[in-house]
């Protein structure tokens, strides 16, 4: 993993673009290139989302805004912090400088005036434990004949490599520069920026499954005085040993007869007492 210099942030990116004094002189040369990338409906550069450990395609384009065709073209590409350049293409020399991954790539076919072109295929990758990718890819275009007169991409890559590892060529096929329809803003420079956003999913606490299956709550059985009285079928009145207490309508009738007998007894008692008093 490259050394991360997050504290420098965007300031380091800007410094990286301007840290090539000899190459910067090419800005006065012809043809004049314009760096292009994809843009949204509002004309703003598209931001490409990337996840940890993911490799994604990114559009880095160019247009020749000069007055004459260019006999080939050269591009310098730089990524920062945890965003890397896969070392894929044989026509590119890859180098490192602290928290920077860079590549000088050359293309021999003539680049005519007008038209828009893009690197194809071109990809970047995020490290598995990525935390900071700086947010931009910086790419800068130069005429190939000017680069060859100044030592070619080998000399540029060796000068820009400040790590322990010497520049190396990719091990796959060649990177191509192919026609692609891209918007051309009114103001274009040979230095361009393609934006990449690191997407880190929010972590959620793990859910623990219950160790035992839930059981139904037991049904409470009332006891003591709270218990409901048991229902007993009425006695048929037959047999020996007596029966159960009589309830309902029969009980009311019996109670009425008993009351009449009690009243009759009281009247008889009073009459008897009155007779006894007169005879005395």
């Amino acid at each position: 993993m490259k050394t991360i210099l997050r504290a420098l942030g965007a300031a380091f990116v800007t410094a990286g673009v301007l840290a090539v004094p000899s190459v910067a002189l090419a800005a006065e040369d012809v043809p004049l290139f314009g760096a292009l990338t994809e843009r949204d409906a509002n004309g703003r550069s598209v931001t490409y989302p990337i996840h940890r450990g993911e490799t994604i395609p990114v559009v880095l384009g160019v247009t020749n805004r000069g007055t004459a065709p260019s006999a080939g073209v050269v591009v310098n590409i730089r990524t920062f912090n945890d965003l890397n350049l896969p070392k894929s293409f044989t026509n590119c020399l890859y180098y490192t400088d602290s928290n920077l991954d860079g590549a000088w790539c050359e293309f021999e076919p003539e680049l005519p005036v007008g038209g828009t072109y893009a690197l194809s295929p071109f990809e970047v990758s995020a490290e598995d434990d990525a935390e900071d990718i700086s947010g931009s890819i910086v790419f800068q275009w130069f005429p190939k004949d000017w680069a060859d007169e100044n030592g070619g991409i080998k000399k540029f890559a060796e000068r820009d490599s400040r790590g322990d590892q010497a520049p190396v060529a990719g091990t796959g096929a060649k990177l191509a520069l192919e026609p692609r329809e891209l918007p051309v803003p009114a103001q274009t420079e040979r230095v361009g920026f393609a934006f990449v956003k690191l997407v880190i999913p929010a972590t959620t606490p793990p859910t623990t499954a219950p160790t035992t299956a839930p059981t139904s709550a037991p049904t409470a059985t009332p006891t003591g005085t709270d218990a409901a009285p048991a229902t007993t079928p009425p006695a048929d009145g037959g047999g020996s040993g007596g029966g159960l207490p009589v309830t309902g309508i029969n009980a009311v009738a019996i109670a009425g007869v008993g009351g009449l007998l009690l009243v009759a007894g009281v009247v008889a008692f009073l009459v008897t007492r009155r007779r006894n008093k007169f005879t005395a």
Side-chain angles (χ1 to χ4, degrees), residues 8 12 24 33 44 49 90 94 105 109 111 123 130 172 175 205 233 246-247 258 264 268 270:
L8 297 179
F12 185 88
F33 294 121
R44 294 174 297 192
T90 55
Y94 297 90
C105 305
L111 189 67
E123 297 176 327
L175 178 62
V246 179
T247 61
L270 293 175

mmCIF file of all heavy atoms in Angstrom, residues 8 12 24 33 44 49 90 94 105 109 111 123 130 172 175 205 233 246-247 258 264 268 270:
data_model
loop_
_atom_site.group_PDB
_atom_site.id
_atom_site.type_symbol
_atom_site.label_atom_id
_atom_site.label_comp_id
_atom_site.label_asym_id
_atom_site.label_seq_id
_atom_site.Cartn_x
_atom_site.Cartn_y
_atom_site.Cartn_z
ATOM 1 N N LEU A 8 -2.216 16.599 2.720
ATOM 2 C CA LEU A 8 -1.988 17.550 1.639
ATOM 3 C C LEU A 8 -3.215 17.710 0.754
ATOM 4 O O LEU A 8 -3.444 18.761 0.181
ATOM 5 C CB LEU A 8 -0.790 17.096 0.800
ATOM 6 C CG LEU A 8 0.545 17.062 1.559
ATOM 7 C CD1 LEU A 8 1.655 16.589 0.650
ATOM 8 C CD2 LEU A 8 0.880 18.431 2.107
ATOM 9 N N PHE A 12 -1.949 18.902 -2.963
ATOM 10 C CA PHE A 12 -0.925 18.038 -3.536
ATOM 11 C C PHE A 12 -1.253 17.716 -4.988
ATOM 12 O O PHE A 12 -0.371 17.630 -5.837
ATOM 13 C CB PHE A 12 -0.803 16.759 -2.707
ATOM 14 C CG PHE A 12 0.335 15.882 -3.182
ATOM 15 C CD1 PHE A 12 1.606 16.056 -2.675
ATOM 16 C CD2 PHE A 12 0.122 14.904 -4.133
ATOM 17 C CE1 PHE A 12 2.647 15.259 -3.118
ATOM 18 C CE2 PHE A 12 1.158 14.111 -4.579
ATOM 19 C CZ PHE A 12 2.432 14.284 -4.067
ATOM 20 N N ALA A 24 5.870 21.330 -19.034
ATOM 21 C CA ALA A 24 4.949 22.460 -19.087
ATOM 22 C C ALA A 24 5.266 23.397 -20.243
ATOM 23 O O ALA A 24 4.398 24.115 -20.721
ATOM 24 C CB ALA A 24 4.988 23.221 -17.772
ATOM 25 N N PHE A 33 -4.143 20.845 -27.466
ATOM 26 C CA PHE A 33 -5.052 19.763 -27.077
ATOM 27 C C PHE A 33 -6.044 20.243 -26.023
ATOM 28 O O PHE A 33 -5.740 21.141 -25.224
ATOM 29 C CB PHE A 33 -4.274 18.564 -26.524
ATOM 30 C CG PHE A 33 -3.406 17.894 -27.549
ATOM 31 C CD1 PHE A 33 -2.042 17.790 -27.356
ATOM 32 C CD2 PHE A 33 -3.953 17.379 -28.714
ATOM 33 C CE1 PHE A 33 -1.235 17.173 -28.293
ATOM 34 C CE2 PHE A 33 -3.158 16.757 -29.661
ATOM 35 C CZ PHE A 33 -1.794 16.659 -29.451
ATOM 36 N N ARG A 44 -21.583 19.456 -16.180
ATOM 37 C CA ARG A 44 -20.577 19.185 -15.156
ATOM 38 C C ARG A 44 -19.941 17.814 -15.377
ATOM 39 O O ARG A 44 -20.590 16.885 -15.854
ATOM 40 C CB ARG A 44 -21.206 19.246 -13.765
ATOM 41 C CG ARG A 44 -21.690 20.637 -13.386
ATOM 42 C CD ARG A 44 -22.433 20.644 -12.067
ATOM 43 N NE ARG A 44 -23.647 19.841 -12.123
ATOM 44 C CZ ARG A 44 -24.595 19.847 -11.208
ATOM 45 N NH1 ARG A 44 -24.457 20.602 -10.132
ATOM 46 N NH2 ARG A 44 -25.670 19.095 -11.344
ATOM 47 N N PRO A 49 -18.554 6.454 -9.234
ATOM 48 C CA PRO A 49 -18.486 5.805 -7.914
ATOM 49 C C PRO A 49 -17.625 4.547 -7.972
ATOM 50 O O PRO A 49 -17.624 3.815 -8.972
ATOM 51 C CB PRO A 49 -19.948 5.464 -7.627
ATOM 52 C CG PRO A 49 -20.572 5.305 -8.988
ATOM 53 C CD PRO A 49 -19.861 6.266 -9.895
ATOM 54 N N THR A 90 1.094 -2.260 -22.584
ATOM 55 C CA THR A 90 2.504 -2.310 -22.988
ATOM 56 C C THR A 90 3.006 -0.988 -23.551
ATOM 57 O O THR A 90 4.223 -0.767 -23.612
ATOM 58 C CB THR A 90 2.705 -3.416 -24.035
ATOM 59 O OG1 THR A 90 1.807 -3.198 -25.131
ATOM 60 C CG2 THR A 90 2.427 -4.791 -23.434
ATOM 61 N N TYR A 94 4.762 2.782 -16.163
ATOM 62 C CA TYR A 94 4.127 3.087 -14.874
ATOM 63 C C TYR A 94 5.193 3.447 -13.845
ATOM 64 O O TYR A 94 6.244 2.808 -13.758
ATOM 65 C CB TYR A 94 3.322 1.889 -14.397
ATOM 66 C CG TYR A 94 2.185 1.530 -15.328
ATOM 67 C CD1 TYR A 94 2.380 0.632 -16.376
ATOM 68 C CD2 TYR A 94 0.921 2.086 -15.167
ATOM 69 C CE1 TYR A 94 1.336 0.296 -17.237
ATOM 70 C CE2 TYR A 94 -0.136 1.764 -16.020
ATOM 71 C CZ TYR A 94 0.092 0.867 -17.055
ATOM 72 O OH TYR A 94 -0.934 0.549 -17.915
ATOM 73 N N CYS A 105 1.863 7.284 -21.344
ATOM 74 C CA CYS A 105 1.428 6.416 -22.433
ATOM 75 C C CYS A 105 1.558 7.162 -23.761
ATOM 76 O O CYS A 105 1.310 8.377 -23.829
ATOM 77 C CB CYS A 105 -0.023 5.982 -22.242
ATOM 78 S SG CYS A 105 -0.351 5.190 -20.645
ATOM 79 N N PRO A 109 -0.643 6.714 -33.937
ATOM 80 C CA PRO A 109 -1.498 7.198 -35.032
ATOM 81 C C PRO A 109 -1.703 8.705 -34.975
ATOM 82 O O PRO A 109 -1.760 9.310 -33.908
ATOM 83 C CB PRO A 109 -2.816 6.450 -34.804
ATOM 84 C CG PRO A 109 -2.428 5.218 -34.051
ATOM 85 C CD PRO A 109 -1.291 5.650 -33.156
ATOM 86 N N LEU A 111 -3.349 12.236 -34.964
ATOM 87 C CA LEU A 111 -4.575 12.752 -34.359
ATOM 88 C C LEU A 111 -5.038 13.962 -35.170
ATOM 89 O O LEU A 111 -4.417 15.028 -35.117
ATOM 90 C CB LEU A 111 -4.349 13.145 -32.895
ATOM 91 C CG LEU A 111 -5.609 13.494 -32.091
ATOM 92 C CD1 LEU A 111 -6.490 12.271 -31.892
ATOM 93 C CD2 LEU A 111 -5.236 14.101 -30.750
ATOM 94 N N GLU A 123 -9.007 1.770 -17.045
ATOM 95 C CA GLU A 123 -9.626 1.460 -15.751
ATOM 96 C C GLU A 123 -8.748 1.936 -14.600
ATOM 97 O O GLU A 123 -7.532 2.079 -14.744
ATOM 98 C CB GLU A 123 -9.864 -0.045 -15.607
ATOM 99 C CG GLU A 123 -10.827 -0.626 -16.625
ATOM 100 C CD GLU A 123 -10.957 -2.142 -16.498
ATOM 101 O OE1 GLU A 123 -9.954 -2.792 -16.140
ATOM 102 O OE2 GLU A 123 -12.056 -2.649 -16.767
ATOM 103 N N ALA A 130 -9.382 0.755 1.114
ATOM 104 C CA ALA A 130 -9.298 2.164 0.733
ATOM 105 C C ALA A 130 -10.043 3.059 1.719
ATOM 106 O O ALA A 130 -11.143 2.729 2.169
ATOM 107 C CB ALA A 130 -9.861 2.358 -0.671
ATOM 108 N N GLY A 172 -0.025 -6.329 -20.555
ATOM 109 C CA GLY A 172 -1.139 -6.775 -21.388
ATOM 110 C C GLY A 172 -1.066 -6.220 -22.798
ATOM 111 O O GLY A 172 0.028 -6.015 -23.352
ATOM 112 N N LEU A 175 -2.881 0.058 -24.960
ATOM 113 C CA LEU A 175 -3.977 0.978 -24.719
ATOM 114 C C LEU A 175 -4.246 1.730 -26.019
ATOM 115 O O LEU A 175 -3.316 2.231 -26.659
ATOM 116 C CB LEU A 175 -3.617 1.957 -23.598
ATOM 117 C CG LEU A 175 -4.648 3.030 -23.241
ATOM 118 C CD1 LEU A 175 -5.947 2.417 -22.741
ATOM 119 C CD2 LEU A 175 -4.071 3.990 -22.190
ATOM 120 N N PRO A 205 -25.380 -3.273 12.631
ATOM 121 C CA PRO A 205 -25.088 -4.306 13.633
ATOM 122 C C PRO A 205 -25.700 -5.636 13.231
ATOM 123 O O PRO A 205 -26.801 -5.678 12.679
ATOM 124 C CB PRO A 205 -25.755 -3.757 14.911
ATOM 125 C CG PRO A 205 -26.792 -2.797 14.423
ATOM 126 C CD PRO A 205 -26.247 -2.213 13.152
ATOM 127 N N PRO A 233 -75.458 -31.180 36.585
ATOM 128 C CA PRO A 233 -76.814 -31.393 36.046
ATOM 129 C C PRO A 233 -77.801 -31.563 37.185
ATOM 130 O O PRO A 233 -77.459 -32.083 38.244
ATOM 131 C CB PRO A 233 -76.657 -32.674 35.225
ATOM 132 C CG PRO A 233 -75.448 -33.352 35.764
ATOM 133 C CD PRO A 233 -74.552 -32.278 36.252
ATOM 134 N N VAL A 246 -82.599 -28.011 45.926
ATOM 135 C CA VAL A 246 -83.489 -27.633 44.840
ATOM 136 C C VAL A 246 -83.310 -26.151 44.580
ATOM 137 O O VAL A 246 -83.307 -25.335 45.494
ATOM 138 C CB VAL A 246 -84.958 -27.933 45.222
ATOM 139 C CG1 VAL A 246 -85.889 -27.506 44.088
ATOM 140 C CG2 VAL A 246 -85.130 -29.403 45.529
ATOM 141 N N THR A 247 -83.193 -25.792 43.346
ATOM 142 C CA THR A 247 -82.987 -24.403 42.958
ATOM 143 C C THR A 247 -83.983 -24.040 41.897
ATOM 144 O O THR A 247 -84.757 -24.872 41.419
ATOM 145 C CB THR A 247 -81.556 -24.208 42.430
ATOM 146 O OG1 THR A 247 -81.375 -25.029 41.278
ATOM 147 C CG2 THR A 247 -80.512 -24.563 43.476
ATOM 148 N N GLY A 258 -93.777 -22.018 52.728
ATOM 149 C CA GLY A 258 -93.233 -21.912 54.096
ATOM 150 C C GLY A 258 -93.613 -20.602 54.743
ATOM 151 O O GLY A 258 -93.908 -20.538 55.930
ATOM 152 N N ALA A 264 -99.640 -18.164 59.434
ATOM 153 C CA ALA A 264 -100.774 -18.848 60.085
ATOM 154 C C ALA A 264 -100.455 -19.223 61.523
ATOM 155 O O ALA A 264 -101.285 -19.122 62.436
ATOM 156 C CB ALA A 264 -101.161 -20.081 59.264
ATOM 157 N N ALA A 268 -102.497 -17.883 64.964
ATOM 158 C CA ALA A 268 -103.074 -18.832 65.933
ATOM 159 C C ALA A 268 -102.539 -18.565 67.324
ATOM 160 O O ALA A 268 -103.248 -18.655 68.323
ATOM 161 C CB ALA A 268 -102.757 -20.262 65.490
ATOM 162 N N LEU A 270 -101.517 -15.703 68.598
ATOM 163 C CA LEU A 270 -102.117 -14.491 69.154
ATOM 164 C C LEU A 270 -103.559 -14.729 69.616
ATOM 165 O O LEU A 270 -103.991 -14.237 70.653
ATOM 166 C CB LEU A 270 -102.093 -13.371 68.105
ATOM 167 C CG LEU A 270 -100.687 -12.850 67.710
ATOM 168 C CD1 LEU A 270 -100.790 -11.836 66.599
ATOM 169 C CD2 LEU A 270 -99.994 -12.267 68.937
#
